Amino acid sequence: MSKRKARDAHLPVGECIKQVQQILRERFCERRLPDRLEGVEAQYKHLLELLRRTAIHGESNSVLIVGPRGAGKTTLLQCVLRDLQKEEKVQKNLLQVHLNGLLQTDDRIALKEITRQLHLENVVGDKVFGSFAENLAFLLEALKKGNRSSSCPVLFVLDEFDLFAHHKNQTLLYNLFDVSQSAQAPIAVVGVTCRLDVLELLEKRVKSRFSHRQIHLLSSLNFTQYLERVWTQLSLPDSFPDKKFAQEWNAGVKTLCEDKSVEEVLQRHFNSSKDFRSLHMLLMLCLSRVSVAKPTIKPADLLEASRMCFADTTANMLHGEYKSYQRSVFYPWSEDSK
Amino acid sequence: MECVHIDFIVCFWSSRNEKENWKVHFYSFAISVEGLSKIIINTGQDIFIEGCDEDNPYVAKVTRLYGDENGQQMKAVVQWFIRVSELPVNKLKLLGREPHPQEIFYYECRNCDNEVNVESILRPVKHLDSNDPFPDSADKDTLYVKLSWDSKVFRVVNSTVVESPAEPAPASSPPSSTPRGPSRRVLPTPDHAIMHKASLGEVGCSSVGTPANVEAESLHSATKLSASKCLSAKRRNATARTPGVRKRLELSSECLHKDFKMQPLCRTREQQGYIYISNTKSSEVENEKSPMVTETPRSSKRKSAMLVSSRIKKQLNLLENHQDPNSSGEEEDEFVPSKNDLLSSSEEEGQDEDGPNIDDQVSAKKFRYVATGSRNSRSKQKSYSSARTQRRTPAKKISPGTPQTPRHATPSIPIRSLQTQQPANILEEARARLHVSSVPESLPCREQEFQDIYSFVESKIVDNTGGCMYISGVPGTGKTATVHEVIRCLQHAADMDEIPSFHFIEINGMKMTDPHQAYVQILQKLTGQKATPDHAAVLLEKRFSNLAPRKETIVLLVDELDLLWTRKQNVMYNLFEWPARRHARLVVLTIANTMDLPERIMINRVASRLGLTRMSFQPYSFKQLQEIIMSRLNKLKAFEEDALQLVSRKVAALSGDARRCLDICRRATEICEHSAADPSSTGLVGMSHVMEALNEMFSSAYITAIRCASTQEQLFLRAVITEFRRLGLEEATFQQVFVQHQALCRIEGLKPIGVSEGLAVCQRLGACRLLLLEPSHLGVLQRIRLNVSQDDIFYALKAD
C-alpha cells in the first residue's frame, strides 16, 4: 500500500522516511526551535516586551527565568531572541553576550568572555587581557561611558544563573545589576536557572539592585493537553514535500494517540514527569523503530520504548538483562532485520 | 648618616617684623648631596619643587628665602605656577585651545600655602613668558607662561607680575658658543633695586637670566634634568649608598675637573656683587675671597664655553647610549646594571656644571643646615627607596624609537545605529521616570542626612582639614545617592566661589577585584598614574604625609566598605589614617550596609581611626516612599492614589527599599498597559495592577511549583513528610522515603515505580531546591531534607 502512495507522490518511500526521520529528530533533539510556543504565551509576551524595550527605548532591565529542568526556559529565550531579531528596529541595535555558569566558573573567565563577545579586545590590541583587575576596570569604564540614548544596548544572558551567585563577592552580578540600575549603557540581564530559591543566594546589596522580575515556567498542563502535545510533536508539518504521505502519517499518529494502551503508557509518563525532554526521549525511541519496511509508529513501538525508558538499569544489570537491553536501545533495527 | 646639606651662601639682611620672631633672610643657597653636585638656588629663580609625581614636579618661583632665628628651619616663600596636568580636566576647556605640554600658568589662587621647606626644592628651571607661539622643539625643561589661572578663569598674564628676563644673552651668537658659563646661570647678578625692595620687607622678585637661545639651553636642561633626578634619587637613597659608588664618583669627577680650571669672566662680576652685598660681613670673608678675583680674557671664556658645550654633547651621547658600559673609559666596571652608568654619567655632568660653585662656597660664609631626620622625612625616604625599585623596570623599558601601545585606550560600547524612541504615552513616560537610573532633580526625604553630610564635608573643606565619616543603612535607602547629591551641591558652591575647590574621588569595594586595588584606583583617579597596588600605596602614603604644597582638599567616597576588609586590615587602616595626617587634607566618606561594622570586623586601631562621626540611614517609611514616587512622577497622572499607597505600605513593611518600590511601580505600569484593551480601564494604574505586580514580586514560587509538579513528584513529597513523621526527624535517607513512596503509590492506585525512576524524581525535586539532597553519587543512601515547610506542602496539595 505504501509503495503505491509513494509512487503517486513521485517520492520513493525510502526518501519519505528519511525526511520524516530528519524532521522529527531535529524536533526531538531540540535542534530546531518550535515555530510557536505552547502554554507559555504570557511569559513569552512579557520577555519579548522587556527585551524590546531595552533594544528600542534603551531601558535597562534585569529578569530571571526560573523553571524546572526541561521546562523550556532556554527554548523560550531563544524563541524570543529569534523573533526580536526579525524586527528591523532591533536587529542592529542589540549586542548579545551569552555566558554559562558551567563554563565561566569564575569572574575572571567571565570577564574575558564578555570582552571577547563584545569585540572590545580589538579596541586595545593585546592590552586588555592584562590582569583581572584591569579587565574589570576596563569593562566597567566601557559600560559607564555609554548612556541611555546613544550606546548600543547589550543583552547579557547568564545560563545557570545560580552558579554565578557562587563567585567570589558576586562581583560580576553586582556590577551588571548596578549598571542596569544606573544611567550608564543600557543593558538587559537575563538569568536562566532551575533553582526556585535563587534570590536567597544573592547578597543583600546585589538583591536590592536586581529588579525582582521573575518569569516562572511551571507547566500546569493536564493530561489531555499532554496528549495533544504528543500528537503535535509527532505530526508532520504542511510543508512536507509528499502531501499524501504526510496525511497518511498524521492519521497514523492520531490513531496511535487514541489507542488505549498507548494512552496508559503516556499517562504513566505524565505521572512521572511533565517535562518535555523526557517526552522527547520516549518519542525518539519510537521514531528510531520506523523504517522503510514499517513506515508508521505502532502502539507496540511506544510500549517497547516506554519499557526501555523506565528500565531500571541497575536492577537489569544485576539480572543479567543488560545485554538484551543494550541491543534494543542501540541497535533497534536488528530486530527488524530478523 | 644624613647626606643632604643645604648651605646658605649669602645672608644679606635680618629683619624683625612686629609679630614674627627674628628671621634670617637669604639671597641664595646651595643644595648639596654628599658626593654629588651642588645646586644653587637664588631668590627670583624658578624652581622645581618635589611633588607627588616624579616626572612632573611642581613649578614655582622663589620670592623669599629665610630661616628662623636659630637656623633650624629653612623656608622659601614661593609664587606658584600650575602645570597643565594639575588643572582640573573640566576647566581645560576654558582655555579654548590645546594646551602645550610644557605650558604652565601663573597661579593666582590665594588658598594655598606658599611656604615650602627648602628640602623639597629639587633644582632650578626656567620659563619663557614671551607672547610668541610655542616653539616646536620638544624641550623638556623650558616652560612657557602665557596665561594666569585663578581657579576660575584664564587671564593674560600681567607682565609686571612675571618679569621678563633681565639679562638677555646676545642673540647673534651662534648656538655652539652661547652656552653660558655654568656659574653664571646658577648665580645671577643680584640687582640693587631688588635688594632694596627686599630689604624693605616687600615680596621682591628678580628674574633669572634666561638665555634666548632655546636650542642651546635644551642641551643644558636635558643634562640638568637627569642631574636633578639623580639628585633626588640620591637623596632618597642617601643612607643606602655603598662606598663603592662613592669612590667611583670621585674618580670620574676628578678626571673631569681639569677642564675647568679657568673660570669665566662673569664670575668675577658676581663675586664683586657678593662683596658689595655682604658689606656687613667680616673682613675675613673678604680676605678669603680676594685671591680668587682674577681677570680672565674674554677669549678664554669663549674657549671654556665651547669646551662645556662639547662636553655636554658628549655627555648627552653618553646618556643615550648608556647601555654600553665601557663608553666612559676610565670607569670601573664593578657595577653591572646600566642604571649605574646613567647615574654616574649624570653625576659627572652635575659635577662639572656646578664645579666652580664649590669654590664659591668655600669663600662665602656658610650656613650649614643639615636636614634632621624628622618623622616625615624618614618615612619619605623609606617609601622612596621602595618606590624606586618599583620604577626601575618601566624606566628601563622606555627606549627611544620603540612604538608603545597606547597607555589609555578608551573603552566604549558601540554606538547604536538607530535612535532611541521617545516615550509615546503617559505610561511609558511614567516608566522612564520611575526607572531607578533616572536621576531626580532633588532627593526628597533625606533632608536631615543631606544637611549633616553637607556641613561635615563643607567644614572640612573650608578649614583645610581632613576627617572620616561612616554612613550605614540597608540597601536602597539612598546612601550613595545622598552623598552624590552633597558632592554635586558642593561642586556647585565651589564653582560659585563660595568654598575652595576640591577633588572628588569615588571607589567601590564591589568594583574591584581585590582590596588592595583600592590604592591603584585612588591613585589613578588622583593623578592618572598606573601602578601596582604596592607601589600605589607607597605613592599615596608619600602624597598624604608630605607637606606637599598647593593641594586642594580631596573628598574620597568609599562605597561598600566591608569589601575592603583584609586580614591585616591595612587598607582600611590607611584609608582612615591618612585624613588624620596634618597636611593630607583628605575627607573620607565610607558607606556600608551594617550599622555596627566598625565594632564587628574592625580591629581596635582601625575602628579608633574611623572615629565616631557616624550616620545611619533608616529604611524609608511608607510616607517617604510615597513622596519619592510622587516626586519622581512629578505631577504626571499615571497612578491612582490608592495604588501608590498600597505599594509604599507594602514595601515599607517588608524592606523600605526604594529601589524595590520603584521596580514594582514600573511593573505595574506594564501590567496596566497590557490590560489596556479592557474597555473598563481608566488608563491609570489601579489597585488591581499593583496587586498583580506585588504578587509577582513577593509571592514565593514554591507553592505554585508544588502544584505544577507531576503526580509522582507530589507523592514523593508526601512520602518525605510521612517518613519524617515516622522518624520524628527532619532528615531521612532516600531508601526510607522510597518505601513510603511505594506504599503511597499503592494507596493512590498507581503502579509503583522502580528505584531508578524514584531517584530521577528525587533529583528533579532536588534541582528545584524543593528538597535538599546530598551528592547523588551516594545513590539510595543519600539523605533528604525539605527546603519548604511541611505546612506549605500540605497547603499546596490540599487545594489541588
Side-chain angles (χ1 to χ4, degrees):
Chain A
M1 185 184 84
S2 60
K3 267 178 194 163
R4 189 176 53 82
K5 296 276 183 234
R7 201 169 54 240
D8 288 348
H10 310 293
L11 265 181
V13 75
E15 192 59 34
C16 282
I17 292 296
K18 208 174 152 193
Q19 290 271 346
V20 167
Q21 290 272 7
Q22 196 186 341
I23 290 170
L24 294 186
R25 269 170 202 270
E26 264 180 2
R27 198 181 278 170
F28 297 151
C29 292
E30 289 158 22
R31 298 292 297 276
R32 198 190 160 92
L33 292 174
D35 296 329
R36 202 172 54 83
L37 286 168
E38 289 161 34
V40 289
E41 285 83 4
Q43 287 93 332
Y44 172 82
K45 201 173 166 194
H46 185 176
L47 191 61
L48 186 71
E49 281 298 310
L50 199 75
L51 297 184
R52 184 188 285 145
R53 275 208 306 277
T54 301
I56 294 176
H57 295 279
E59 182 185 302
S60 292
N61 275 311
S62 48
V63 66
L64 276 180
I65 305 174
V66 188
R69 295 216 182 276
K73 303 179 290 293
T74 311
T75 314
L76 169 72
L77 182 63
Q78 300 288 356
C79 285
V80 167
L81 288 180
R82 179 194 62 193
D83 296 350
L84 262 183
Q85 292 294 342
K86 282 180 195 159
E87 293 179 38
E88 207 191 327
K89 277 181 194 164
V90 180
Q91 214 168 18
K92 295 170 203 156
N93 261 347
L94 196 64
L95 297 173
Q96 295 185 20
V97 176
H98 291 265
L99 302 175
N100 191 319
L102 292 167
L103 296 175
Q104 280 79 40
T105 48
D106 65 20
D107 285 345
R108 181 195 307 267
I109 305 171
L111 281 177
K112 279 192 184 184
E113 186 63 22
I114 292 172
T115 324
R116 196 185 64 75
Q117 291 193 19
L118 285 177
H119 302 293
L120 284 176
E121 83 268 48
N122 296 334
V123 179
V124 284
D126 53 341
K127 190 202 148 248
V128 168
F129 299 124
S131 67
F132 178 32
E134 261 176 35
N135 231 333
L136 179 68
F138 179 81
L139 194 73
L140 289 178
E141 179 81 356
L143 290 172
K144 205 173 179 177
K145 273 206 171 167
N147 63 43
R148 178 175 169 162
S149 51
S150 70
S151 34
C152 195
V154 188
L155 170 70
F156 288 92
V157 177
L158 307 181
D159 223 333
E160 308 291 344
F161 180 83
D162 48 318
L163 296 177
F164 285 96
H166 292 126
H167 293 181
K168 190 188 164 218
N169 288 344
Q170 303 184 347
T171 310
L172 181 74
L173 294 184
Y174 177 91
N175 285 309
L176 285 182
F177 286 147
D178 197 52
V179 171
S180 83
Q181 298 243 321
S182 52
Q184 301 179 7
I187 67 166
V189 184
V190 180
V192 180
T193 181
C194 66
R195 280 182 69 162
L196 295 169
D197 63 344
V198 65
L199 281 186
E200 289 157 36
L201 297 174
L202 297 180
E203 253 192 89
K204 260 194 303 182
R205 52 191 150 213
V206 181
K207 198 172 165 184
S208 166
R209 281 167 175 79
F210 170 57
S211 74
H212 284 262
R213 264 168 218 273
Q214 293 189 63
I215 297 177
H216 287 287
L217 279 186
L218 298 165
S219 60
S220 53
L221 195 73
N222 58 28
F223 183 59
T224 34
Q225 286 164 326
Y226 188 79
L227 269 183
E228 234 167 74
R229 174 98 190 192
V230 172
W231 183 68
T232 46
Q233 286 290 312
L234 276 178
S235 50
L236 289 173
D238 295 335
S239 58
F240 194 74
D242 190 340
K243 293 275 183 283
K244 208 84 184 204
F245 182 85
Q247 274 177 12
E248 202 84 351
W249 173 272
N250 288 348
V253 170
K254 197 157 183 80
T255 47
L256 177 78
C257 290
E258 279 158 3
D259 190 280
K260 216 62 204 154
S261 60
V262 168
E263 213 166 289
E264 233 168 69
V265 167
L266 288 176
Q267 176 78 55
R268 189 161 173 230
H269 270 269
F270 175 73
N271 283 346
S272 169
S273 107
K274 281 178 179 176
D275 73 42
F276 301 127
R277 204 166 280 157
S278 63
L279 175 67
H280 286 156
M281 179 75 178
L282 177 76
L283 297 180
M284 185 71 157
L285 287 173
C286 301
L287 183 67
S288 60
R289 292 172 158 272
V290 174
S291 63
V292 183
K294 194 166 74 65
T296 50
I297 298 176
K298 293 270 184 291
D301 297 334
L302 199 71
L303 292 182
E304 181 62 21
S306 162
R307 197 181 63 78
M308 274 189 245
C309 274
F310 282 122
D312 193 335
T313 43
T314 330
N316 279 350
M317 198 138 59
L318 292 173
H319 290 138
E321 283 177 18
Y322 183 68
K323 274 226 164 111
S324 64
Y325 164 77
Q326 196 182 29
R327 196 177 62 230
S328 58
V329 169
F330 296 110
Y331 311 103
W333 55 87
S334 58
E335 281 174 39
D336 300 333
S337 58
K338 260 182 233 167
Chain B
M1 195 199 73
E2 180 55 63
C3 297
V4 181
H5 300 296
I6 294 175
D7 302 311
F8 283 76
I9 305 168
V10 188
C11 159
F12 54 86
W13 81 93
S14 299
S15 74
R16 180 171 189 162
N17 288 357
E18 281 164 31
K19 286 178 184 172
E20 294 172 75
N21 289 329
W22 277 97
K23 276 186 178 174
V24 188
H25 294 256
F26 299 94
Y27 178 64
S28 67
F29 70 95
I31 307 165
S32 65
V33 173
E34 201 171 311
L36 195 61
S37 64
K38 300 214 175 212
I39 291 179
I40 301 219
I41 307 288
N42 305 294
T43 311
Q45 196 164 18
D46 296 325
I47 47 167
F48 274 153
I49 292 179
E50 193 174 298
C52 40
D53 183 357
E54 271 180 48
D55 294 324
N56 289 314
Y58 294 125
V59 188
K61 173 189 270 189
V62 184
T63 55
R64 206 145 44 102
L65 291 165
Y66 67 86
D68 55 10
E69 71 271 47
N70 46 10
Q72 283 304 300
Q73 196 64 41
M74 303 296 175
K75 298 272 192 191
V77 178
V78 295
Q79 166 59 50
W80 294 108
F81 290 97
I82 190 163
R83 278 176 186 271
V84 176
S85 54
E86 292 166 48
L87 283 170
V89 181
N90 54 349
K91 305 279 173 143
L92 266 181
K93 60 176 182 287
L94 291 175
L95 191 58
R97 60 178 164 86
E98 273 300 298
H100 190 270
Q102 292 301 115
E103 188 168 3
I104 54 174
F105 303 98
Y106 186 81
Y107 193 64
E108 289 186 298
C109 221
R110 295 278 161 239
N111 62 356
C112 69
D113 197 3
N114 58 356
E115 239 180 42
V116 293
N117 278 348
V118 290
E119 300 135 78
S120 62
I121 296 176
L122 289 178
R123 65 193 157 95
V125 69
K126 71 180 191 69
H127 74 252
L128 296 175
D129 48 5
S130 63
N131 291 321
D132 307 332
F134 299 108
D136 290 334
S137 65
D139 182 0
K140 290 282 282 182
D141 217 28
T142 310
L143 302 165
Y144 308 96
V145 184
K146 278 182 182 289
L147 300 169
S148 70
W149 168 248
D150 63 350
S151 82
K152 296 285 171 292
V153 286
F154 292 100
R155 285 198 199 92
V156 176
V157 74
N158 187 357
S159 59
T160 58
V161 182
V162 184
E163 283 174 37
S164 54
E167 216 187 326
S172 59
S173 51
S176 59
S177 64
T178 37
R180 308 149 61 93
S183 62
R184 183 172 165 188
R185 264 179 39 74
V186 287
L187 276 182
T189 317
D191 187 353
H192 262 296
I194 288 160
M195 276 187 296
H196 183 64
K197 255 198 271 175
S199 63
L200 286 174
E202 284 177 31
V203 181
C205 63
S206 78
S207 52
V208 201
T210 36
N213 197 310
V214 176
E215 198 186 328
E217 184 61 31
S218 73
L219 290 178
H220 267 294
S221 37
T223 49
K224 228 166 54 174
L225 178 74
S226 56
S228 84
K229 263 199 177 163
C230 168
L231 169 69
S232 70
K234 208 71 195 173
R235 280 179 179 168
R236 293 162 206 165
N237 278 16
T239 47
R241 218 148 36 81
T242 52
V245 178
R246 215 35 225 272
K247 191 180 161 198
R248 185 166 164 228
L249 284 175
E250 279 159 12
L251 265 176
S252 56
S253 63
E254 247 174 84
C255 74
L256 286 163
H257 251 301
K258 54 180 180 274
D259 296 338
F260 288 92
K261 46 184 187 265
M262 288 318 280
Q263 283 314 307
L265 168 79
C266 58
R267 216 183 109 214
T268 19
R269 259 177 64 202
E270 275 153 17
Q271 278 175 342
Q272 279 163 352
Y274 278 166
I275 295 160
Y276 177 80
I277 301 157
S278 52
N279 49 9
T280 54
K281 286 182 199 165
S282 63
S283 59
E284 177 201 321
V285 177
E286 282 184 48
N287 289 342
E288 262 183 49
K289 254 186 211 176
S290 50
M292 295 183 68
V293 183
T294 48
E295 285 290 327
T296 30
R298 194 170 170 79
S299 59
S300 92
K301 180 202 168 187
R302 285 222 150 183
K303 200 177 156 193
S304 72
M306 271 151 72
L307 259 172
V308 170
S309 78
S310 65
R311 190 86 228 168
I312 289 165
K313 273 183 185 159
K314 204 174 140 194
Q315 293 295 339
L316 271 177
N317 287 338
L318 207 136
L319 273 179
E320 274 168 28
N321 312 327
H322 68 265
Q323 303 291 346
D324 181 9
N326 294 324
S327 57
S328 33
E330 303 153 318
E331 290 176 358
E332 293 169 20
D333 284 329
E334 50 184 295
F335 295 97
V336 186
S338 57
K339 183 95 184 171
N340 272 340
D341 274 341
L342 175 63
L343 207 73
S344 72
S345 60
S346 54
E347 274 161 10
E348 284 162 26
E349 184 56 41
Q351 287 282 3
D352 52 49
E353 246 197 283
D354 296 322
N357 299 329
I358 297 167
D359 298 342
D360 284 337
Q361 282 152 25
V362 177
S363 59
K365 189 176 177 181
K366 275 186 185 174
F367 286 86
R368 170 152 293 191
Y369 169 61
V370 179
T372 47
S374 65
R375 188 200 69 165
N376 277 357
S377 69
R378 206 187 307 144
S379 66
K380 205 188 340 179
Q381 276 175 8
K382 210 167 75 185
S383 57
Y384 268 141
S385 55
S386 59
R388 212 168 142 247
T389 47
Q390 292 281 356
R391 272 190 68 82
R392 184 169 287 191
T393 352
K396 263 186 195 164
K397 260 194 279 180
I398 299 165
S399 56
T402 321
Q404 289 193 338
T405 49
R407 266 178 81 86
H408 301 289
T410 47
S412 64
I413 299 289
I415 302 295
R416 56 187 299 145
S417 50
L418 288 170
Q419 277 301 306
T420 45
Q421 276 186 5
Q422 290 307 309
N425 57 34
I426 288 179
L427 285 175
E428 282 183 14
E429 176 76 35
R431 198 154 54 226
R433 289 191 192 175
L434 285 172
H435 198 282
V436 185
S437 69
S438 67
V439 184
E441 295 87 47
S442 69
L443 282 175
C445 312
R446 286 296 180 213
E447 289 82 10
Q448 185 56 46
E449 286 84 355
F450 175 85
Q451 201 53 49
D452 288 355
I453 300 174
Y454 187 91
S455 49
F456 175 81
V457 179
E458 190 195 23
S459 67
K460 300 294 177 198
I461 292 175
V462 170
D463 301 348
N464 285 343
T465 51
C468 298
M469 185 177 208
Y470 177 72
I471 301 167
S472 65
V474 293
T477 49
K479 302 178 294 296
T480 313
T482 306
V483 172
H484 278 147
E485 180 82 2
V486 166
I487 298 298
R488 209 160 43 232
C489 288
L490 284 170
Q491 292 278 19
H492 183 71
D495 287 343
M496 302 303 285
D497 217 4
E498 284 156 15
I499 55 165
S501 62
F502 62 96
H503 193 151
F504 175 63
I505 299 174
E506 184 183 4
I507 58 168
N508 187 325
M510 270 299 215
K511 292 185 179 171
M512 55 187 73
T513 51
D514 174 83
H516 293 98
Q517 288 291 327
Y519 298 129
V520 180
Q521 295 201 358
I522 295 173
L523 186 74
Q524 181 165 17
K525 284 171 183 167
L526 214 52
T527 65
Q529 275 175 285
K530 279 190 175 176
T532 58
D534 291 344
H535 186 209
V538 167
L539 287 177
L540 286 173
E541 171 77 28
K542 181 183 130 198
R543 189 190 170 94
F544 289 125
S545 54
N546 262 6
L547 191 148
R550 201 171 62 208
K551 217 191 277 174
E552 51 186 10
T553 305
I554 298 158
V555 180
L556 173 66
L557 169 62
V558 184
D559 217 337
E560 314 291 357
L561 176 73
D562 49 333
L563 266 294
L564 295 184
W565 187 89
T566 51
R567 207 168 50 80
K568 288 169 94 178
Q569 306 197 357
N570 44 3
V571 178
M572 281 183 180
Y573 179 87
N574 276 333
L575 282 180
F576 303 142
E577 164 69 13
W578 288 333
R581 299 271 168 82
R582 208 175 131 227
H583 305 292
R585 293 171 72 175
L586 174 70
V587 182
V588 178
L589 303 172
T590 54
I591 297 182
N593 289 148
T594 33
M595 202 156 89
D596 56 345
L597 188 81
E599 284 75 29
R600 271 201 308 148
I601 67 167
M602 290 185 198
I603 50 180
N604 285 337
R605 61 195 163 101
V606 176
S608 138
R609 273 166 179 79
L610 173 59
L612 291 168
T613 320
R614 296 194 192 167
M615 170 172 292
S616 128
F617 278 62
Q618 298 303 319
Y620 288 114
S621 72
F622 86 91
K623 275 198 177 128
Q624 290 174 321
L625 287 174
Q626 210 170 339
E627 204 183 323
I628 289 168
I629 305 172
M630 294 301 273
S631 80
R632 288 230 177 197
L633 285 176
N634 199 11
K635 300 204 181 73
L636 189 76
K637 188 72 187 146
F639 279 80
E640 283 172 15
E641 199 70 19
D642 294 347
L644 277 190
Q645 194 161 355
L646 177 68
V647 175
S648 35
R649 275 184 191 274
K650 186 90 182 174
V651 174
L654 280 163
S655 60
D657 186 337
R659 287 195 190 106
R660 186 75 68 89
C661 195
L662 294 172
D663 281 331
I664 292 170
C665 289
R666 226 150 51 86
R667 177 69 189 135
T669 59
E670 283 170 27
I671 294 170
C672 177
E673 202 169 40
H674 289 164
S675 61
D678 185 6
S680 67
S681 68
T682 53
L684 294 182
V685 181
M687 284 292 260
S688 57
H689 307 125
V690 170
M691 282 297 278
E692 201 180 327
L694 282 170
N695 277 339
E696 250 178 49
M697 295 214 176
F698 286 114
S699 69
S700 140
Y702 286 119
I703 308 267
T704 342
I706 296 170
R707 278 186 195 157
C708 291
S710 67
T711 320
Q712 293 290 356
E713 285 161 3
Q714 290 176 347
L715 268 184
F716 195 84
L717 286 174
R718 278 169 65 189
V720 170
I721 295 177
T722 322
E723 186 62 22
F724 284 178
R725 294 237 166 119
R726 191 182 70 81
L727 291 170
L729 292 170
E730 289 287 291
E731 192 176 89
T733 60
F734 173 78
Q735 233 170 350
Q736 293 165 319
V737 176
F738 189 66
V739 174
Q740 294 288 344
H741 183 88
Q742 284 191 313
L744 275 174
C745 280
R746 289 194 189 95
I747 292 169
E748 293 290 320
L750 295 170
K751 202 176 165 196
I753 55 171
V755 181
S756 304
E757 204 190 333
L759 269 173
V761 166
C762 182
Q763 291 299 336
R764 275 202 294 274
L765 290 171
C768 296
R769 288 298 189 279
L770 285 169
L771 295 180
L772 296 175
L773 302 177
E774 280 191 313
S776 56
H777 65 83
L778 292 167
V780 292
L781 294 175
Q782 62 186 313
R783 277 175 298 197
I784 295 169
R785 272 188 295 165
L786 278 178
N787 197 26
V788 267
S789 77
Q790 299 190 1
D791 293 337
D792 280 355
I793 295 176
F794 276 125
Y795 172 74
L797 295 179
K798 205 169 282 172
D800 210 18

